[in-house]
Amino acid sequence: MKIITTTEELQKLRKEIDGSVGFVPTMGALHNGHLSLIRQARDENEHLIVSIFVNPTQFLEGEDLDAYPRKEEADIRICELAKVDILFMPSISSMYEKDELCIGAPAIRGYILEGQKRAGHFDGMLQIVMKLLNISSATRAYFGKKDAQQLSLISQMVKNYFMSVSIVPCEIIRDESGLALSSRNIYLNSDEKGRALSLSRSLKEATKMIMSGEKSVVNIKENMHFHLKDIDSVEYVCIVDREFNIRDEIEIGDSIILVAGKVGGVRLIDNIWI
Ligand code: AMP
């Protein structure tokens, strides 16, 4: 595995590669969720690039940029074991210059839910993903459904900017109790972890209602709020279609139920695709 730290080196190396290239962008502190993306990309492509970069422009003032978990050595070992060909770990100064040209999230889909709670987050996310997709010239890039709105906006960016990469959505990986894996879970103590399970439980209960014929979003949300009472603050419960238009009725095959909340100061999100 080659570890590359500058954009120039990666672009040079990329020109020497023939055949399909899979790409998995991450912010590190790798867990089994990341690993499932990496494994899928390994299986579906001749070459595999993984990036680890904690992108400052997607963190808002007061968010956990400095405290974001960093586990460089363990991450390198995980990538080696997963047979990654190139691990890209750039510095901030090699990714950004002062007074940059920026792309912005769309006015509606980019500013509801996560975009409303974290205004500006998606601008920074799209900016870094655009850069990484361009530098890697990937055939396919892999993103988790865990960050459903992010995935939807990246797909829209690729479409709107006529980019040639294929975006591959990957299933959400959970621990044995149902909690969606996240780098931020390490901040939860055991009581908080127990309470955080309400997020996935509320989604399971919503799925049960839908499977028994319920279509009303109002009724489903009411039931979810009942199951979310152990969450310190529920930020949103929402049902959208695959393009992130708000739904008032469930349509099986084109609905995503999303939930976000804070437990003991840790902000968590989860969702289920119906
Ligand atoms: P991050 O390092 O949090 O930026 O995540 C990098 C990629 O891994 C994103 O595409 C995430 O959606 C994906 N990811 C994170 N957690 C999970 C999970 N539990 N299951 C599936 N994908 C995940």
Side-chain angles (χ1 to χ4, degrees), residues 81-192:
L81 290 172
K83 300 197 171 12
V84 171
D85 297 309
I86 299 174
L87 177 57
F88 182 48
M89 302 176 83
S91 63
I92 294 174
S93 61
S94 79
M95 292 305 292
Y96 287 106
E97 58 178 29
K98 287 206 176 95
D99 194 24
E100 284 219 350
L101 183 154
C102 295
I103 56 168
I108 300 170
R109 281 190 259 177
Y111 284 88
I112 56 168
L113 305 169
E114 288 300 290
Q116 186 179 9
K117 290 290 162 197
R118 304 179 71 195
H121 162 72
F122 284 133
D123 296 347
M125 180 281 291
L126 292 169
Q127 183 183 20
I128 192 64
V129 172
M130 168 75 97
K131 283 169 185 270
L132 290 168
L133 293 177
N134 286 339
I135 307 166
S136 62
S137 293
T139 316
R140 300 181 189 88
Y142 295 77
F143 294 90
K145 289 181 174 180
K146 159 96 188 331
D147 298 284
Q149 197 174 2
Q150 164 175 295
L151 169 61
S152 162
L153 294 175
I154 292 167
S155 303
Q156 190 186 352
M157 176 177 77
V158 164
K159 183 168 164 244
N160 291 167
Y161 284 81
F162 308 103
M163 297 164 73
S164 55
V165 61
S166 297
I167 300 301
V168 183
C170 302
E171 293 309 319
I172 300 174
I173 305 300
R174 302 174 178 281
D175 70 11
E176 58 291 338
S177 63
L179 183 67
L181 298 186
S182 160
S183 304
R184 290 187 171 105
N185 290 354
I186 57 166
Y187 297 130
L188 299 168
N189 64 29
S190 65
D191 164 66
E192 290 161 350

Side-chain angles (χ1 to χ4, degrees), residues 192-248:
E192 290 161 350
K193 217 169 178 175
R195 290 189 292 119
L197 281 179
S198 309
L199 295 173
S200 56
R201 200 175 306 126
S202 72
L203 293 168
K204 250 189 243 163
E205 294 298 326
T207 311
K208 271 195 217 159
M209 284 179 86
I210 293 166
M211 292 313 150
S212 58
E214 182 64 77
K215 286 210 178 309
S216 156
V217 163
V218 172
N219 293 348
I220 293 166
K221 279 167 64 169
E222 190 185 305
N223 182 263
M224 286 179 70
H225 278 287
F226 171 77
H227 288 283
L228 287 166
K229 35 185 200 318
D230 288 343
I231 298 293
D232 293 329
S233 66
V234 178
E235 289 193 350
Y236 59 78
V237 173
C238 190
I239 304 186
V240 295
D241 67 16
R242 295 285 194 266
E243 307 220 298
F244 273 78
N245 302 301
I246 309 282
R247 278 207 169 287
D248 48 26

Side-chain angles (χ1 to χ4, degrees), residues 7-68:
T7 54
E8 293 80 9
E9 272 178 290
L10 180 58
Q11 282 177 301
K12 182 169 173 284
L13 201 59
R14 177 65 188 87
K15 285 198 184 111
E16 293 159 12
I17 297 175
D18 282 329
S20 59
V21 172
F23 175 51
V24 183
T26 80
M27 298 207 298
L30 300 180
H31 51 63
N32 280 334
H34 298 113
L35 203 52
S36 74
L37 272 56
I38 293 173
R39 290 202 180 112
Q40 189 173 340
R42 177 72 282 171
D43 286 349
E44 294 176 0
N45 299 277
E46 287 157 83
H47 307 277
L48 172 57
I49 305 175
V50 171
S51 67
I52 296 180
F53 181 64
V54 182
N55 174 40
T57 67
Q58 71 188 66
F59 285 80
L60 309 184
E61 198 102 352
E63 287 190 344
D64 59 348
L65 173 62
D66 294 331
Y68 195 83

